Amino acid sequence: MPDTLALQRPQYFVANDREIAFFRGDTYLTALRRAGIEIPTMCNDPELTPSGSCRLCLIELENGKLVTSCNMTPQPGSSIETHSQNAETKRQTLIELIIASHPLKCTVCDKSGNCDLEDLAYDYVPADRLTVFDGKLPPLPDNEVNEFFMLDYSMCIRCAKCVQVVDEIQHCGVLSMENKGFDVFPSTGFGQTFHEAGCVACGNCVTVCPVDALKPLSVIKAGREPQFDRVKTTCVYCGVGCQFEFVVNKRKNQIVYVDSVMPNRLEERAEVNGLSLCVKGRFGTDFIHHPDRLTSPLIKENGEFREASWDEAFDVIESRFKQVLQEHGPDAFSILSSAKCTNEENYLLQKFARAAIKTNNIDHCARLCHASTVTGLVRTFGSGAMTNSIHDLTHDADVIFIIGSNTTEAHPVIGVKIKQAVVAGTARLIVADPRKIELARMAEIHMQQRPGTDIALINGMLKVIIENNLVDHEFVRERTEGYDDLLRELEKVDVAEMAQIAGVQESEIRDAALLYGQAETAAIVYSMGITQHSTGTMNVVSLANLAMVTGNVGREGTGVNPLRGQNNVQGACDLGALPNVLPGYQQVSDETVRQIFSDHWNTELSGVAGLTVVEMMHAAHAGDIKAMWIMGENPALSDPNVNKVREALATEGMFLVVQDLFLSETAKFADVVLPASSFAEKSGTFTNTERRVQRVRPAIAPLGNSQADWKIIAELLRRFGIAAEYQTPDDILREVASVTPIYAGITPERLEPNGITWPCRSEEDPGTRILHSEQFARPGGKGRIIGVEFQDAAELPDANYPFVLTTGRNLYHFHTGEMTHRSKGLHERRPYELTEINPIDAMRLGIEEGEKIRLTSRRGTLVTRAKIVEKVKPGVIFMTFHHREAQANLLTNDVLDPYAKIPELKVAAIKVERLTLLAD
Amino acid sequence: MKTWAAVSWILQHGSAKFRTIGTEDSPGTAIFSLTGNVKNAGLIEVAMGTTLREVIYGIGGGISKDRAFKAVQTGGPSGGCLPAQFLDTPVDYKTLSELGSIMGSGGMVVIDDTTCIVDFSKFFLQFTQQESCGKCVPCREGTLRMLEILERITTGKGKMSDIDDLLLLAETVGSTSLCGLGTTAPNPVVSTLRYFRDEYIQHISNRYCSAGSCVGMFELVIDHNKCNNCSRCQRGCSFDAISGSRDEGFLILTESCEGCRVCLETCPQNAIEVFPVK
């Protein structure tokens, strides 16, 4: 990493009579590449251990010996030749040898133009020697073809990079080298398909393949590198914020595939993800070109949509909005912003709500995921964001405590980095999750708590930590307040009782507490499993307590780290798409703050906090909302108790505008539908889970007649008399910086190469990787410890509804599936919901694998298919909310956390029936 | 094992005494597995510096059936092949490596004039090629391609450029392989090309294997001056390729001969000679 390099004094060697600096950890190859000297390689990747198997990176030492530069530590003062006659001759022969075992199909090969072997052959091999060593060909096992990629063995050069990716990056165990000598080949073993061998289709092996052996299906006959453009951008799925390249066929305005950004120097790789991506990012962006994409504005007349021009659509919206404003006032509006849209767009939409309409009724789906993080962490730390960076979390933590986060499926690239830390032995892992998730298998301790009992679990741990005197008294004394409050609360706590409540062994709580409490650096990672409860805020407070009591805040490898679910949910919150705060978490109730924005936007602002997502729906249901604008969200599928939401959206007399890529469940209720451009068609920025603001770049021109959301909002701003003369989103970002202190130093020019993490208060500020390192963000600078009493979930199983339903995500889909079900590969891999049920329950109810079952709660009912697994405990049912045909949110409970107004999506009482039995 | 044996001896007798055995650069003894066309084969231990002749003709008792010595391969499959001109060479680390061979694993295979040198180096290369783990390009790919060239040469399909390619590959495999197996794998080929290049060229340009080993690349003829009409050759031939009788003498029928060489090996008079195919 470059910043650590800067701290070292360089040493030097001489290459080709030129002095080359090197640092600790360098090899000859890395030092030479940093100095701009190119050395050919076929098997090297800076993120993999140098295997030295292709032998092409030869350098000649002073004694005439040839060595591989990739795995040799430079000797200070040594003198080497990189392209001596001897080395070049050997390189040529080696390439001739590789070609002898590789078909010369370059003229019809999909990889041509982007093939390492083709390039090297061109550089080194005269035409008359192309076939000089031809003879026996390597073995040809059956090719792999799955939903996403294929492995063509006839092209394989056996460099084993794919196997190294499996062993060193993904830790999936899918591939190893089979056979030996000339007969060696990468193999899943026993003739299994990749899927059978446990492949999660991350495609990281595909991306490192130097030839045409492993390739995405979408690249076949879709053009070749010279016809392609590569556009680096930020992934649109989860909050990790992976960087990748769209490979675009410009002539066809078509995205061909997604590739990792792989400069051959480690320090130039994306800090967030390096070469790693997950199946959704790499193979799931074909929804962009799906025929369902809206290409024209739609206006509903007599219950039917008809196509309309943009002008007509804008006219209708303007007149109806103005009419509502006149007749019912600003608070008859509610506006839903989007965690999928850019920072600039979220900023503009909240500006529209506040400056044009003068209401604070703006919110977005963060309400449904991390609202309780914000309320919980603001109370305790003063700032509701991930305290640490992904890098230090996965490199410097001695213990990682994951609670309520199925990291490997919901945030796959962070999941993989945690796996790497555990395998490397740098981190020990504690997992608390009601399911035996993948990381539970790698954990030292897995506490499989009953859904909704997290406070009991954490209070038990806190009690053990205090009993064993593992409290960091200095930290508690110097940096926090309220410790006595916690002590008073814990007096009532009995560890055995807490274990009983949570349904785990007392010893597990004790072991976990000791492991966490004794660690030098311990980090907490959590997600929806903590937040989506009626006690969500207090769950978060409990975790903050745990971290503060043990002094695990403000240093590398520590902290409380909520993993944000949407690509830009962090940014949407940061930029004020929330009913109570202006951009940068500045309270709307604060007159001084309001004045700054009033001056800037040249209009008066409302100081009354607005409605939250669920409250908006309740208000609409009650007939109090007369106009609603929903940008890129799908509450008709994503919100709890969706039956009620749909009734709200269908309310007579409410004018509904929906702006989306597709005619979503929500859009079907709209009066006007506006076709938005996808993230591949616009520029802007996303802020990832670690508060890093990163670039989004347009790869293709907007499809059909669609428009970028920011352009749509800007037009409506102008129609409401608010200046919005933005040429590009960069102009908006500059405006953001001028009114948002935590974004003050984040300008378009500073976003290269790895973005900036906020708070970044000036153009000189490098950004902040770790929050609260000196003092907490609360007034007075102290963290607040708050004693929390355990409280049961709002709805517990009873005789009529004996099961607990808990919801979550699956690796292959995202949220309501609007994108992933329109991705061919993802849909094919998991076309329908498979609801998890324990074998004991299944046996009792006579349910068989894959059988249709009916789930019913007090709010709704649905039919799904059973997947019988021990992953869930008896009495617990798990389902995802990705599938339209089995909408988990028909069942979920819309009871709210009193502070954050987040609904209890993670616990609902249901009953389970065998459908065939019902039919009888 | 050999080292530990020496350690115990040195501890008992002291290093000074150990140094009196062997040469200055290579003190002590060497252990060989003497085998091939020698009369006495087996494990032997000699002082460093003993000459090849002393080993082969002294301890080994000379070449089987008193045929002509052709070469000796020292050091196992990774070793090198030395011709008769080096018979008086002292066996020690330094001298062997100067001549392109090694002490290696202590193998010492002696061959006579009925062994084809190309076939002989192919035999050793086959071993290393099969033992390759397959990780690095030169060893995985290079040893196979070298073997394929040798295969071509011994079946009469060689071309003159093969020798250059062999040397090129040998040099690449030898200098760029990842481990010792690959870096020494070409040694038998390199050393035989160094000392028996003519025999390779004969194979390529005349399609002639003077050792009478490569099938289809020689004819066998009975030298009637040496033949004593014992009939062993006729009785041993599986292909009815030898006509005649003890009274009128024997004749090898070229068109029926399969080149199996049973006659050549069974002839007590060494009366069967090898000629190029007419």
Side-chain angles (χ1 to χ4, degrees):
Chain A
M1 291 286 127
D3 42 341
T4 56
L5 283 185
L7 299 174
Q8 284 185 45
R9 262 228 321 270
Q11 291 182 291
Y12 296 91
F13 66 90
V14 173
N16 316 334
D17 299 325
R18 189 182 139 194
E19 196 160 68
I20 309 286
F22 70 95
F23 303 90
R24 198 172 56 245
D26 262 337
T27 60
Y28 276 113
L29 182 69
T30 55
L32 287 165
R33 283 191 166 161
R34 191 177 308 112
I37 297 176
E38 249 333 291
I39 310 274
T41 59
M42 288 289 290
C43 69
N44 186 266
D45 185 278
E47 290 179 59
L48 301 172
T49 312
S51 73
S53 68
C54 78
R55 317 304 289 167
L56 290 174
C57 63
L58 296 169
I59 51 171
E60 188 169 331
L61 304 180
E62 272 166 301
N63 62 7
K65 237 183 119 175
L66 294 174
V67 295
T68 44
S69 58
C70 69
N71 51 7
M72 191 169 220
T73 309
Q75 296 302 303
S78 61
S79 175
I80 59 129
E81 289 278 326
T82 57
H83 291 75
S84 66
Q85 178 66 43
N86 191 9
E88 290 286 274
T89 315
K90 300 297 181 291
R91 269 201 264 276
Q92 179 187 337
T93 309
L94 290 168
I95 296 162
E96 287 168 0
L97 281 171
I98 297 172
I99 292 175
S101 298
H102 183 87
L104 295 178
K105 292 183 183 166
C106 304
T107 49
V108 291
C109 179
D110 293 310
K111 191 86 172 180
S112 181
N114 184 29
C115 173
D116 293 354
L117 184 56
E118 188 186 41
D119 292 348
L120 287 174
Y122 181 83
D123 288 346
Y124 281 91
V125 183
D128 62 342
R129 285 191 64 84
L130 267 180
T131 56
V132 69
F133 294 130
D134 274 13
K136 189 181 161 187
L137 287 170
L140 281 179
D142 288 343
N143 288 343
E144 159 86 13
V145 183
N146 58 41
E147 298 91 332
F148 307 105
F149 59 87
M150 67 174 291
L151 169 51
D152 178 354
Y153 277 107
S154 73
M155 293 289 174
C156 176
I157 58 161
R158 284 101 46 90
C159 65
K161 270 168 106 170
C162 51
V163 174
Q164 273 196 289
V165 164
V166 162
D167 287 345
E168 297 177 18
I169 292 191
Q170 196 63 22
H171 295 293
C172 54
V174 172
L175 287 173
S176 56
M177 294 306 270
E178 185 170 328
N179 274 334
K180 70 177 183 68
F182 190 73
D183 295 328
V184 76
F185 60 89
S187 161
T188 54
F190 309 106
Q192 300 175 98
T193 64
F194 273 49
H195 192 39
E196 286 165 348
C199 173
V200 291
C202 65
N204 293 338
C205 59
V206 177
T207 210
V208 297
C209 182
V211 291
D212 197 44
L214 276 160
K215 61 177 169 185
L217 295 187
S218 62
V219 79
I220 298 170
K221 292 288 172 203
R224 299 195 286 187
E225 200 64 22
Q227 288 140 273
F228 294 159
D229 271 0
R230 288 176 173 259
V231 180
K232 185 182 161 189
T233 191
T234 305
C235 181
V236 80
Y237 280 107
C238 76
V240 178
C242 294
Q243 301 295 294
F244 64 58
E245 273 173 348
F246 273 128
V247 181
V248 184
N249 189 323
K250 269 284 173 205
R251 200 163 41 83
K252 297 182 186 165
N253 196 35
Q254 173 116 21
I255 290 163
V256 177
Y257 67 105
V258 165
D259 206 353
S260 299
V261 192
M262 297 196 293
N264 64 18
R265 286 170 50 205
L266 190 60
E267 52 257 42
E268 288 177 354
R269 294 255 164 127
E271 268 180 38
V272 170
N273 62 308
L275 65 77
S276 293
L277 291 175
C278 79
V279 61
K280 293 188 287 287
R282 192 181 298 284
F283 299 115
T285 56
D286 46 335
F287 70 85
I288 292 165
H289 291 291
H290 195 277
D292 284 356
R293 271 292 295 275
L294 294 169
T295 51
S296 162
L298 301 174
I299 292 177
K300 196 182 264 170
E301 274 177 4
N302 308 320
E304 296 280 321
F305 283 118
R306 67 163 172 86
E307 293 195 353
S309 71
W310 276 101
D311 279 342
E312 191 185 357
F314 280 133
D315 288 346
V316 171
I317 295 169
E318 183 187 347
S319 72
R320 291 294 303 269
F321 274 7
K322 283 185 172 165
Q323 188 191 345
V324 171
L325 200 54
Q326 206 166 27
E327 291 173 9
H328 303 280
D331 289 337
F333 277 81
S334 74
I335 294 177
L336 279 182
S337 196
S338 174
K340 291 239 91 59
C341 290
T342 63
N343 286 327
E344 293 74 10
E345 289 159 349
N346 277 284
Y347 172 82
L348 278 199
L349 193 59
Q350 64 86 34
K351 181 173 173 179
F352 180 84
R354 294 185 161 122
I357 306 293
K358 304 198 179 5
T359 179
N360 283 312
N361 287 348
I362 178 154
D363 203 7
H364 70 286
C365 71
R367 188 63 49 199
L368 307 176
C369 61
H370 276 295
S372 41
T373 290
V374 176
T375 50
L377 289 184
V378 166
R379 266 154 190 256
T380 47
F381 293 169
S383 172
M386 185 164 162
T387 58
N388 287 53
S389 71
I390 298 169
H391 183 87
D392 79 85
L393 168 69
T394 51
H395 286 81
D396 302 317
D398 294 339
V399 169
I400 301 176
F401 176 26
I402 300 179
I403 181 163
S405 160
N406 184 7
T407 324
T408 52
E409 295 203 58
H411 300 89
V413 171
I414 295 182
V416 154
K417 288 180 172 230
I418 291 172
K419 278 169 119 180
Q420 288 166 12
V422 174
V423 172
T426 60
R428 297 167 74 177
L429 190 61
I430 307 169
V431 169
D433 199 289
R435 295 196 303 146
K436 286 184 187 135
I437 54 172
E438 189 185 354
L439 281 177
R441 292 204 303 256
M442 303 187 90
E444 223 157 296
I445 300 160
H446 173 212
M447 297 179 281
Q448 201 170 356
Q449 81 273 37
R450 189 161 61 81
T453 60
D454 305 281
I455 294 175
L457 200 77
I458 299 159
N459 273 352
M461 286 176 72
L462 279 164
K463 180 91 176 185
V464 176
I465 282 169
I466 288 165
E467 279 174 3
N468 287 277
N469 199 25
L470 295 172
V471 174
D472 185 340
H473 289 290
E474 195 192 328
F475 187 91
V476 168
R477 194 174 53 242
E478 301 292 325
R479 306 243 357 231
T480 71
E481 56 195 35
Y483 181 56
D484 293 340
D485 181 40
L486 179 70
L487 286 183
R488 263 195 306 282
E489 186 56 48
L490 291 179
E491 266 170 31
K492 292 181 274 179
V493 166
D494 173 61
V495 181
E497 194 194 328
M498 294 299 116
Q500 207 186 357
I501 290 171
V504 302
Q505 300 291 320
E506 185 186 341
S507 62
E508 291 173 338
I509 293 189
R510 289 190 178 278
D511 291 349
L514 294 180
L515 187 54
Y516 179 85
Q518 286 170 347
E520 185 60 33
T521 51
I524 296 169
V525 172
Y526 74 88
S527 198
M528 305 297 89
I530 282 293
T531 59
Q532 289 177 334
H533 291 278
S534 56
T535 57
T537 300
M538 285 303 155
N539 285 354
V540 174
V541 168
S542 295
L543 291 175
N545 287 344
L546 190 62
M548 284 190 284
V549 163
T550 52
N552 278 312
V553 186
R555 289 178 291 134
E556 289 180 337
T558 67
V560 177
N561 298 288
L563 302 182
R564 307 302 305 251
Q566 292 273 17
N567 57 313
N568 198 32
V569 66
Q570 183 67 54
C573 291
D574 298 345
L575 277 306
L578 295 171
N580 58 331
V581 287
L582 285 151
Y585 304 98
Q586 306 177 84
Q587 297 293 326
V588 294
S589 54
D590 185 332
E591 213 166 310
T592 2
V593 168
R594 252 190 355 258
Q595 195 55 49
I596 296 170
F597 282 89
S598 290
D599 293 347
H600 224 97
W601 296 342
N602 208 14
T603 179
E604 288 306 305
L605 300 178
S606 162
V608 185
L611 298 176
T612 62
V613 168
V614 183
E615 288 170 333
M616 282 178 194
M617 293 303 164
H618 288 181
H621 201 259
D624 297 337
I625 301 295
K626 300 297 176 195
M628 193 182 277
W629 182 1
I630 300 175
M631 171 172 82
E633 294 225 335
N634 193 12
L637 221 50
S638 63
D639 286 14
N641 196 356
V642 285
N643 279 334
K644 202 169 156 189
V645 173
R646 286 172 203 173
E647 285 166 22
L649 293 172
T651 305
E652 203 57 41
M654 185 180 82
F655 179 65
L656 177 62
V657 179
V658 174
Q659 184 172 327
D660 209 316
L661 302 185
F662 304 106
L663 198 63
S664 66
E665 296 298 302
T666 305
K668 288 175 189 160
F669 291 96
D671 296 291
V672 178
V673 179
L674 302 177
S677 301
S678 75
F679 80 116
E681 297 145 52
K682 62 189 179 189
S683 61
T685 56
F686 290 157
T687 305
N688 81 347
T689 187
E690 55 173 355
R691 297 169 276 109
R692 188 190 294 268
V693 182
Q694 302 185 109
R695 272 271 186 215
V696 178
R697 295 180 184 79
I700 51 174
L703 294 188
N705 206 4
S706 69
Q707 277 197 34
D709 298 273
W710 69 270
K711 287 192 175 163
I712 300 172
I713 308 164
E715 171 65 23
L716 280 164
L717 275 170
R718 282 190 287 271
R719 284 171 179 252
F720 277 77
I722 307 289
E725 303 312 315
Y726 308 109
Q727 295 306 308
T728 67
D730 283 359
D731 296 339
I732 307 174
L733 187 59
R734 288 193 193 92
E735 182 176 322
V736 168
S738 68
V739 292
T740 313
I742 55 173
Y743 274 62
I746 300 179
T747 58
E749 296 73 27
R750 295 186 70 204
L751 292 174
E752 297 297 335
N754 278 308
I756 305 178
T757 47
W758 66 259
C760 175
R761 296 179 188 281
S762 71
E763 294 222 15
E764 289 71 46
D765 186 345
T768 312
R769 299 279 171 100
I770 298 173
L771 297 178
H772 320 304
S773 51
E774 303 288 324
Q775 52 176 2
F776 286 95
R778 291 180 65 241
K782 288 206 169 185
R784 180 155 166 236
I785 297 173
I786 306 167
V788 180
E789 190 180 356
F790 169 70
Q791 193 191 327
D792 256 320
E795 189 179 59
L796 293 177
D798 55 24
N800 292 332
Y801 298 95
F803 287 91
V804 174
L805 171 77
T806 190
T807 62
R809 284 192 197 166
N810 161 286
L811 174 65
Y812 298 103
H813 286 289
F814 196 77
H815 282 225
T816 58
E818 289 294 328
M819 300 186 297
T820 52
H821 276 299
R822 288 188 176 91
S823 161
K824 190 165 175 288
L826 293 173
H827 180 74
E828 278 173 17
R829 177 60 67 94
R830 186 59 89 86
Y832 46 75
E833 166 66 11
L834 288 170
T835 297
E836 293 176 5
I837 180 168
N838 184 277
I840 293 171
D841 292 331
M843 196 160 65
R844 211 161 40 77
L845 296 168
I847 293 166
E848 290 185 22
E849 179 75 24
E851 199 172 16
K852 286 199 168 177
I853 52 173
R854 177 179 291 284
L855 309 184
T856 311
S857 79
R858 291 186 175 84
R859 291 156 296 278
T861 182
L862 59 83
V863 174
T864 176
R865 283 173 226 232
K867 183 178 182 182
I868 301 171
V869 281
E870 286 180 355
K871 208 168 172 182
V872 288
K873 276 187 175 177
V876 176
I877 303 289
F878 172 84
M879 73 182 291
T880 69
F881 61 115
H882 303 314
H883 304 274
R884 196 172 300 176
E885 85 291 343
Q887 301 165 15
N889 284 323
L890 287 165
L891 309 175
T892 49
N893 195 352
D894 56 350
V895 61
L896 301 181
D897 172 282
Y899 312 100
K901 310 285 164 71
I902 190 170
E904 185 147 67
L905 292 159
K906 283 289 184 273
V907 189
I910 60 162
K911 64 181 171 192
V912 180
E913 294 156 295
R914 225 181 117 199
L915 203 63
T916 40
L917 207 66
L918 293 177
D920 297 343
Chain B
M1 188 55 94
K2 190 175 130 186
T3 309
W4 284 115
V7 166
S8 117
W9 196 93
I10 293 166
L11 286 175
Q12 279 177 45
H13 302 98
S15 65
K17 186 150 188 198
F18 185 78
R19 286 202 156 277
T20 62
I21 310 165
T23 65
E24 179 144 6
D25 287 336
S26 308
T29 63
I31 298 174
F32 289 107
S33 167
L34 180 63
T35 180
N37 304 130
V38 281
K39 287 177 178 159
N40 310 322
L43 279 176
I44 60 165
E45 182 173 14
V46 294
M48 288 282 186
T50 311
T51 64
L52 285 167
R53 189 185 300 282
E54 284 167 323
V55 172
I56 295 164
Y57 285 91
I59 302 170
I63 308 302
S64 312
K65 292 201 280 173
D66 293 323
R67 295 195 72 101
F69 169 88
K70 181 167 182 176
V72 57
Q73 164 90 4
T74 72
S78 309
C81 199
L82 302 177
Q85 71 198 78
F86 298 118
L87 270 175
D88 292 315
T89 303
V91 176
D92 61 54
Y93 290 106
K94 196 165 153 245
T95 321
L96 283 183
S97 90
E98 275 167 14
L99 298 177
S101 186
I102 52 172
M103 294 283 280
S105 56
M108 191 176 273
V109 186
V110 178
I111 54 170
D112 65 18
D113 58 352
T114 63
T115 303
C116 167
I117 207 73
V118 187
D119 193 45
F120 189 55
S121 67
K122 190 174 89 182
F123 170 80
F124 287 115
L125 193 66
Q126 227 154 19
F127 172 83
T128 39
Q129 193 267 332
Q130 274 169 15
E131 289 305 308
S132 170
C133 79
K135 183 173 177 180
C136 75
V137 170
C139 180
R140 181 184 69 227
E141 310 282 337
T143 54
L144 177 80
R145 301 307 169 204
M146 289 175 72
L147 194 62
E148 285 177 344
I149 293 175
L150 292 179
E151 186 67 40
R152 276 211 297 272
I153 295 175
T154 55
T155 52
K157 298 177 193 124
K159 30 187 209 286
M160 278 314 282
S161 63
D162 281 346
I163 291 185
D164 288 340
D165 284 339
L166 262 183
L167 282 171
L168 185 71
L169 285 173
E171 218 182 288
T172 304
V173 174
S175 64
T176 69
S177 284
L178 184 60
C179 80
L181 185 97
T183 49
T184 57
N187 283 355
V189 179
V190 174
S191 57
T192 52
L193 267 172
R194 184 159 159 195
Y195 300 120
F196 298 93
R197 198 185 184 99
D198 287 350
E199 199 168 328
Y200 279 83
I201 291 172
Q202 248 178 5
H203 275 77
I204 294 168
S205 54
N206 303 335
R207 305 277 181 268
Y208 174 44
C209 173
S210 59
S213 165
C214 299
V215 176
M217 297 177 70
F218 59 88
E219 273 182 18
L220 295 176
V221 176
I222 297 169
D223 179 351
H224 291 282
N225 296 326
K226 289 190 187 163
C227 179
N228 64 0
N229 292 359
C230 73
S231 86
R232 281 192 204 176
C233 56
Q234 190 181 41
R235 280 179 280 140
C237 181
S238 304
F239 305 102
D240 288 336
I242 300 178
S243 68
S245 64
R246 293 195 64 165
D247 298 337
E248 53 195 15
F250 296 96
L251 193 69
I252 297 176
L253 306 173
T254 310
E255 59 276 20
S256 303
C257 177
E258 295 279 330
C260 75
R261 306 206 309 170
V262 167
C263 52
L264 189 81
E265 273 150 32
T266 51
C267 179
Q269 298 294 109
N270 291 341
I272 298 182
E273 291 183 354
V274 180
F275 282 93
V277 180
K278 283 188 197 99

